[in-house]
Amino acid sequence: MSRRIQKVVVLLIALTLILPVGAAGIFQLFSPSAATPAQQAGNGVQERVDPASQPKPSPTTPPAAPEKLREDSEAGAEQTARYLLASYPYMNATGDIAPWQAHTADDCQPCQALIGNAVLLHKQGGYQVDGKFNVNDASATRKKDGTVLVTLAYTSDPAVIVEEPTLPARREEGTTGSVDITLRWDGKAWRATAMSLGE
């Protein structure tokens, strides 16, 4: 994937989340193709590495589906939001977008942009390593329109992004922050309709 395409994808996410490109926190792990340019050698040629030396993708096993994942309740909405957060490193590690497709709405622009990023990352042979999210606190509030706003306070483990197998891997530090996810019950499952970083 060209740098120009990557920048378009990153810009889309930045505008949707109302954050500048490069902002710290969950945004960085939510945009694995937002890699900074690889180090240049003295002659202007990109540094290359042996793909065999790259770390292996992880996690490669999807998180277990919560008990109340398909329950029309605030608890069900909260567990769905937790499941999306837990599934994010797996999606970027494996390219399996099914968990996110099953629980995000087509009109959730941040959600679809993040799914698109994972697809593009894997089309160019890239993937994520580690970067698990740990939820420290959660709240769920049902609104008058029936949607539920879930706020998750989290810490994330350090991660490695292999943008392309022959390019040096990019390391991300662990972060602390919160994310707000609005979910709507569609009769069978909760689907995220909006997503943004907390204050």
Side-chain angles (χ1 to χ4, degrees):
M1 180 177 67
S2 71
R3 293 284 175 186
R4 182 176 181 182
I5 293 176
Q6 289 177 349
K7 289 178 181 177
V8 169
V9 174
V10 173
L11 179 60
L12 172 62
I13 297 175
L15 290 174
T16 305
L17 297 182
I18 318 177
L19 280 174
V21 174
I26 198 173
F27 172 73
Q28 289 182 329
L29 288 183
F30 270 18
S31 55
S33 61
T36 55
Q39 292 182 339
Q40 303 290 319
N43 60 3
V45 177
Q46 271 192 327
E47 178 186 350
R48 296 289 175 175
V49 298
D50 180 358
S53 69
Q54 299 279 25
K56 302 301 181 185
S58 68
T60 55
T61 301
E67 180 181 346
K68 297 182 179 181
L69 190 64
R70 297 186 181 278
E71 178 181 290
D72 182 6
S73 66
E74 292 180 16
E78 179 186 322
Q79 288 199 3
T80 300
R82 286 174 176 264
Y83 181 66
L84 283 171
L85 202 60
S87 299
Y88 186 75
Y90 164 76
M91 177 172 70
N92 283 318
T94 65
D96 181 3
I97 62 176
W100 269 62
Q101 284 185 318
H103 296 286
T104 57
D106 291 342
D107 59 355
C108 178
Q109 293 182 351
C111 305
Q112 298 308 317
L114 297 172
I115 290 172
N117 258 5
V119 170
L120 291 173
L121 181 66
H122 280 266
K123 279 186 177 179
Q124 64 192 36
Y127 53 86
Q128 179 173 318
V129 183
D130 300 328
K132 175 186 175 183
F133 286 100
N134 309 287
V135 176
N136 303 319
D137 191 24
S139 65
T141 305
R142 191 181 289 268
K143 300 179 181 180
K144 292 182 179 180
D145 63 2
T147 62
V148 174
L149 172 64
V150 177
T151 298
L152 302 177
Y154 67 86
T155 56
S156 67
D157 295 343
V160 173
I161 305 299
V162 177
E163 186 181 5
E164 294 179 13
T166 63
L167 293 179
R170 178 168 57 92
R171 301 187 182 279
E172 296 286 356
E173 298 297 326
T175 59
T176 299
S178 66
V179 60
D180 296 325
I181 303 175
T182 300
L183 301 104
R184 178 181 62 231
W185 179 254
D186 70 359
K188 296 181 179 179
W190 287 98
R191 291 182 179 272
T193 60
M195 182 181 296
S196 63
L197 297 185
E199 296 293 332

